Amino acid sequence: MLAYLLLLVPTPPLAGFVLLALDPYRLDRRAVRAAALVAGCAPLVVMAPMALAHLTGFWGDQIAPIFTLHVGNYEVALAVGLDTLSAVTALTVTFVSACVLIYALDYMSGARNADLRRFFALMNLFQAGMLSMVLAADSITFFLGWELMGLCSFFLISYNMTSPRAFAAGQKAFVITRIADAALLAGLLLLFLEAGSVRLAELIPAGAALDTARGPLIAALLLVGAMGKSAQFPFHTWLPTAMAGPTPVSALLHSATMVAAGAVLLARFAPVLAANDSVAAATAVAGVVTALFGAASAVAQTDVKRLLAYSSISQIGYMLVAVGVGVPAVAMAHFVVHALFKSLLFMASGVLAHAGAGGTSIAALRGTARRAPISFAAFAAGAASLAGLPLVTAGWWSKEAILASAFEAGWLGLGVWAVGLTAAALTAVYAFRPVFTALRAPETETPRGRESWLAVGPLVVLAVLALAGGLGVKPLTELLGGHPPHPALWVELAGAAAALLGIAGSAAVTFLPALAGRVARARRLRAGLQMDARYYALLVRPYRRFVRRLSGGRGEWVTRVVAPGRGTEGVERELEGAVRHARQPEGATSDPVGQATVVLGLWVWRALLLPFSPDRMDMAWMQGARGIGRAAERARRLQTGRVRDYALALALGLAALLLIGWGMTWR
C-alpha cells in the first residue's frame, strides 16, 4: 500500500493546474501565488522522504498498479514505480522545480492576474508531466508525460502572446520535438510487439535480448527521440530561440526537465543501447560532437540567455557521451549536478539583467556585480561549476568522471575524450564571460538594486550545492549501480588544465579588444552554423518547388481537380486563391505543406463527396426542421394571454379526462 503514495507526487501540481486554469471563481493575486507555491513545493515534501528511504535501503523497489487490460497475448498494465533511477531523478526535479517556482513568485510579480494564472497553471502542468515520466513504470505513462511536457513547452515559450518572435519560437520547439516524439513512439511500439507488455521491466530486457535487425532499429529510434527532445545536433535549433520565454521557464525547462528528458530516456533504456554496439558508439559520437559544437557556439554569443541555451546543448551532449561509453550512472550524476548549476545560472542571470540595463545582452551586465552582489556571487558559483573549476565545484567531479570513463573505453573512447576535453576548455571560456563582464565598471553609474529574498533565497541554496555537491558524485554513481572511473593522474591534470586555460581565455576574450572584436564578428557561429537556413535550403525549398509544380505553372492542373457543377462555385474561388498563393515568389511567406494538403483534399472531395452533392439526407433534415418551426409558429397562436381562454381550455381538458375515465369503466 505504501507504493500508492507515489501517486501523490504528480497530484499536487496537477491539482494546481486544474485550480488555476479551470476554476470559475476569481482568484486574487495572493491566492494565485499561494496556490502555485503549494502545488509546486508539495511534490518535494512528498517525494523527499520516499526517495531518501529508498536510497538508504530502508525501502526497496516499488510498483503501484493503476490499470491493467489484457488483449490477446498482449498486456497493457499502467503503473508508477520507484527504483534508484526514478528516486534520484524525481528528487532532483521536485527540488529544482520548487526553487524555480519560489523564484518565479518574485520574477512574475508585475504580470497581470490573468497572465499570472496562466503562467503558473502551465508551470504546474509541466511539472506534473515530468514527474509522471520519471516515475512511470510503463511505456504509456512514460510517453504521456513526455508528450505533456512538449505541449506545455509550446505554451510556456509562447507565453508572451503579443510577440510574434515568442510564438514562432514555440512553434519551432513544438514541430522539432514532435519529430523526436514520432521516433520514440515507433521505438516503444516495436518494443511492445517484442515483449507483449508495456511494463518497462519487461520491455527493456526484451529489447536488450533482440539479436535481429530490429534491435539496432529500436535503439536508433530511441536515440533520435532523445536527441530531438534534448536539442542535440542537428536537432538543436529550437532551444536557442526558446529563450523568448520568461526566465523561470528557461530555468525549469532547460535544467532538470524537458531538455534533460532525453538523457533520462537513454539512461532508462541503457541496456537496449548497450546491446547494440554501433548505436552505442553513435550515441557517444553524437554526444561529443554536440558538446563541442554547443561550446563553440556559446563562446560567440552576445546574449546571456542564448549563451546558457547553447551551454545546455553542450552539457546534455556530455550525458550522451556517458551513456554511449556504457556508464549511464555517471550520466545521471552529471544530470543532477547540471540541474543545480544550470537552474542557478538562469535565475541569477534574470536578477542581473534586471539590475543592469534591463536587457539580457552580456554587455548590459557591466557593473551588476556591485548592484546585485548576492546574485552575482551565486552566478559566479554556477559559472565555476559549469566550467569545472578543479576540486572545489560539483561540475568538476561529474564532468571529469565522464571524460575519464571515455578515456577508458578503448580507441573510440580516446577520440571522444580528446574532443570532450577541447569542449571542456571552451566551456570555461564562455562560462566566465558574463562573470568578467559583470565585474567591469559600468558606463553610467546607477544605484544598487534591490534583491528580493524570494529571488535570492533559492540562488543561495543552489550556489552552495553547485559548489559542495561534488562530494556526492561518487556515492551517487555507486547508488545508481555504476563504478566511478580511476584514471591516471595525468588525465585528471589534463582536465584541470583545460578548465584553467579556458578561464584565462575567457579573461582574454573579455578584456582584449582585438579578441572581443573577433568574437563579435563570428555571426555564423553565433547563429549555430545557420542550421535553420540549411534546413530551408535542403528540405523546405525543394518541397515548395514540388508543390508549385504539382499546382501547375498557372493553376490549370489543379483547377481540373474540381469538376464544374452545382455547388462548386465557392470551392473554385477558394482554389483560385490557393493557387495564387502557391505561385508567390521565392522567399515570400507561404504554406507549402498546406498547399499539398489542399490538393490531396480536393481529390478526395471529388471522388467521395461530389457525387452526393447536394446532400439529400441533409436537405431532408432541414425540411423537417423547417416543418417543426412552422408547427411551433402555429402553436404560438394558441397563447392569447386571456384568462377566459385558458379557463375554457382547462375545462375542456377536464371534460375530456372524465370522458376517458368513464369509457375505461365499460365492460
Side-chain angles (χ1 to χ4, degrees):
M1 294 300 294
L2 291 176
Y4 285 96
L5 293 175
L6 292 170
L7 296 174
L8 298 179
V9 178
T11 300
L14 187 60
F17 164 75
V18 173
L19 176 65
L20 294 174
L22 306 179
D23 181 45
Y25 299 102
R26 277 185 172 272
L27 298 176
D28 59 17
R29 299 180 65 84
R30 184 176 300 178
V32 171
R33 288 156 60 95
L37 182 62
V38 171
C41 296
L44 177 61
V45 176
V46 177
M47 189 66 216
M50 290 192 291
L52 294 176
H54 180 80
L55 296 176
T56 56
F58 181 77
W59 205 14
D61 291 355
Q62 301 291 329
I63 291 289
I66 300 174
F67 173 80
T68 302
L69 176 66
H70 294 277
V71 181
N73 296 327
Y74 299 100
E75 181 186 58
V76 179
L78 308 187
V80 293
L82 183 69
D83 57 10
T84 305
L85 179 60
S86 61
V88 170
T89 309
L91 186 59
T92 304
V93 170
T94 54
F95 175 75
V96 172
S97 299
C99 292
V100 171
L101 286 168
I102 293 172
Y103 169 86
L105 294 177
D106 177 74
Y107 188 91
M108 302 296 296
S109 58
R112 296 183 309 154
N113 191 38
D115 292 337
L116 200 66
R117 286 184 62 165
R118 176 166 57 90
F119 174 81
F120 282 115
L122 290 170
M123 290 285 276
N124 287 155
L125 185 61
F126 184 91
Q127 186 182 5
M130 182 67 185
L131 291 173
S132 299
M133 189 202 83
V134 300
L135 293 174
D138 65 274
S139 59
I140 295 179
T141 306
F142 185 96
F143 188 74
L144 289 177
W146 179 281
E147 284 293 286
L148 190 58
M149 285 192 297
L151 178 63
C152 292
S153 68
F154 165 73
F155 289 113
L156 287 169
I157 295 169
S158 308
Y159 169 77
N160 186 4
M161 295 185 295
T162 61
S163 171
R165 173 173 167 262
F167 186 74
Q171 278 187 313
K172 182 189 288 187
F174 188 80
V175 171
I176 294 179
T177 53
R178 293 292 75 72
I179 297 173
D181 297 349
L184 173 61
L185 180 60
L188 293 177
L189 288 174
L190 290 176
L191 280 175
F192 171 70
L193 294 176
E194 293 294 333
S197 173
V198 297
R199 284 288 178 89
L200 296 181
E202 300 178 25
L203 281 180
I204 296 173
L210 283 175
D211 56 357
T212 62
R214 188 175 289 183
L217 174 61
I218 292 174
L221 289 171
L222 297 177
L223 175 60
V224 172
M227 291 177 64
K229 202 72 163 184
S230 292
Q232 298 294 281
F233 184 87
F235 303 101
H236 66 280
T237 57
W238 68 267
L239 186 58
T241 56
M243 298 301 107
T247 295
V249 173
S250 303
L252 183 61
L253 270 67
H254 309 139
S255 60
T257 51
M258 180 170 166
V259 172
V264 176
L265 166 69
L266 294 183
R268 175 65 73 183
F269 288 87
V272 180
L273 269 70
N276 299 276
D277 295 338
S278 58
V279 180
T283 303
V285 171
V288 77
V289 168
T290 303
L292 180 61
F293 163 77
S297 298
V299 170
Q301 298 306 310
T302 58
D303 183 275
V304 66
K305 288 185 68 174
R306 286 180 63 89
L307 181 149
L308 295 176
Y310 277 104
S311 169
S312 295
I313 293 171
S314 178
Q315 295 302 305
I316 302 297
Y318 279 108
M319 299 179 203
L320 264 68
V321 169
V323 175
V325 299
V327 284
V330 175
M332 293 311 298
H334 191 59
F335 162 82
V336 175
V337 173
H338 174 261
L340 297 175
F341 67 66
K342 188 52 61 68
S343 58
L344 167 63
L345 287 169
F346 270 115
M347 292 189 288
S349 69
V351 178
L352 294 178
H354 282 295
T360 58
S361 67
I362 297 176
L365 299 180
R366 292 186 60 167
T368 54
R370 294 176 55 191
R371 299 170 194 160
I374 301 176
S375 300
F376 168 75
F379 188 93
S385 188
L386 170 61
L389 196 64
L391 300 178
V392 296
T393 63
W396 152 260
W397 295 99
S398 61
K399 195 179 299 182
E400 187 60 26
I402 294 175
L403 292 176
S405 300
F407 183 82
E408 297 175 351
W411 289 105
L412 177 63
L414 286 176
V416 169
W417 171 80
V419 178
L421 193 66
T422 305
L426 292 174
T427 300
V429 173
Y430 71 73
F432 273 85
R433 281 187 61 209
V435 175
F436 291 139
T437 302
L439 287 170
R440 301 181 68 179
E443 297 178 354
T444 57
E445 283 295 331
T446 55
R448 175 174 170 172
R450 184 185 68 86
E451 295 180 284
S452 169
W453 67 270
L454 280 174
V456 171
L459 299 185
V460 173
V461 175
L462 290 169
V464 172
L465 292 175
L467 295 176
L471 299 175
V473 170
K474 181 179 178 180
L476 182 59
T477 302
E478 294 174 344
L479 276 173
L480 289 165
H483 302 285
H486 300 284
L489 179 60
W490 72 268
V491 175
E492 295 184 344
L493 291 176
L500 296 175
L501 287 174
I503 295 174
S506 180
V509 168
T510 304
F511 296 110
L512 296 180
L515 290 178
R518 294 190 65 177
V519 170
R521 291 191 296 270
R523 294 186 179 90
R524 181 169 296 181
L525 191 59
R526 188 177 306 125
L529 300 183
Q530 299 177 325
M531 290 302 298
D532 283 332
R534 299 176 192 275
Y535 287 147
Y536 180 84
L538 293 175
L539 300 175
V540 179
R541 183 179 294 166
Y543 187 77
R544 290 182 60 185
R545 289 173 178 169
F546 168 74
V547 172
R548 286 195 188 92
R549 191 168 299 173
L550 191 66
S551 301
R554 298 181 179 179
E556 300 91 344
W557 185 87
V558 182
T559 306
R560 289 198 299 270
V561 173
V562 180
R566 183 179 177 184
T568 63
E569 294 82 359
V571 176
E572 289 174 345
R573 285 195 299 270
E574 293 291 334
L575 179 60
E576 182 181 356
V579 173
R580 193 164 52 244
H581 184 68
R583 295 198 306 271
Q584 286 185 349
E586 190 71 24
T589 303
S590 64
D591 183 10
V593 177
Q595 295 299 317
T597 306
V598 167
V599 172
L600 178 62
L602 289 173
W603 274 107
V604 175
W605 174 79
R606 179 184 179 185
L608 300 181
L609 301 181
L610 189 60
F612 301 96
S613 179
D615 190 343
R616 305 294 181 184
M617 183 65 69
D618 186 64
M619 293 175 62
W621 278 108
M622 294 304 297
Q623 289 175 358
R626 286 192 291 269
I628 294 174
R630 288 192 293 268
E633 183 65 28
R634 294 191 183 96
R636 284 186 56 198
R637 298 174 184 173
L638 300 176
Q639 305 296 324
T640 63
R642 292 181 294 186
V643 176
R644 62 175 179 271
D645 292 341
Y646 297 150
L648 176 61
L650 287 173
L652 293 175
L654 180 60
L657 289 175
L658 290 174
L659 287 174
I660 292 172
W662 176 62
M664 293 179 66
T665 60
W666 291 357
R667 298 294 182 186

